[in-house]
Amino acid sequence: DGGITQSPKYLFRKEGQNVTLSCEQNLNHDAMYWYRQDPGQGLRLIYYSQIVNDFQKGDIAEGYSVSREKKESFPLTVTSAQKNPTAFYLCASRGTRRETQYFGPGTRLLVL
Amino acid sequence: AQSVTQLGSHVSVSEGALVLLRCNYSSSVPPYLFWYVQYPNQGLQLLLKYTSAATLVKGINGFEAEFKKSETSFHLTKPSAHMSDAAEYFCAVTFTDKLIFGTGTRLQVFP
């Protein structure tokens, strides 16, 4: 069953804590993306990666970090520097250039 | 710079009525255009896409969209709304490796 999985579905962060969101795909896609979604603001790009061991900042990268050690995996860490992390986080992947991005089910991050 | 504008953050229709969700884009090169649908607390699902072939694009669930270069528009339509169409709809444009999204339109369907 091909697709994109994200875990956990809900994540709670305490003040000053780093948390990591998982994103895995078995579509053999080269490119992967992380978006943040807030009500009324659409989707904003955090980071993206077009190939293993390489990634680029998106529009709102401050307070976030990523790694791309495997083609299938693109985890996102929300660091303590991100002062307003409460949001819905979506991971996506894409095959060839300019083709469709496919999305995972999302992770909702809440602050305790 | 490329951008997408969705007119109307909320649209309400009666069941069986025409659905029209508006999307205008700005792009200096021929764009690829997409419509996605999002149900509450879920990811985005592709409805349809335009990739410079036919200007009238048919998608899933009875939706279609027409690319009009002269109007820089890619409006989404469905002849007859169903209760299950209630969701948020996003228009997006790409010309490189990134998607640029509109801010979304929430569709409500009343019985």
Side-chain angles (χ1 to χ4, degrees), chain A residues 5 27 34 46 51 80 87 97 100 107 110:
Chain A
T5 57
L27 301 169
W34 274 107
I46 305 173
I51 196 168
S80 57
R97 189 181 179 92
T100 304
T107 292
L110 301 165

Side-chain angles (χ1 to χ4, degrees), chain B residues 5-26:
Chain B
T5 302
Q6 291 185 240
L7 294 175
S9 58
H10 289 81
V11 170
S12 298
V13 300
S14 298
E15 192 173 19
L18 171 71
V19 175
L20 171 60
L21 304 182
R22 299 179 186 274
C23 174
N24 288 87
Y25 70 92
S26 169

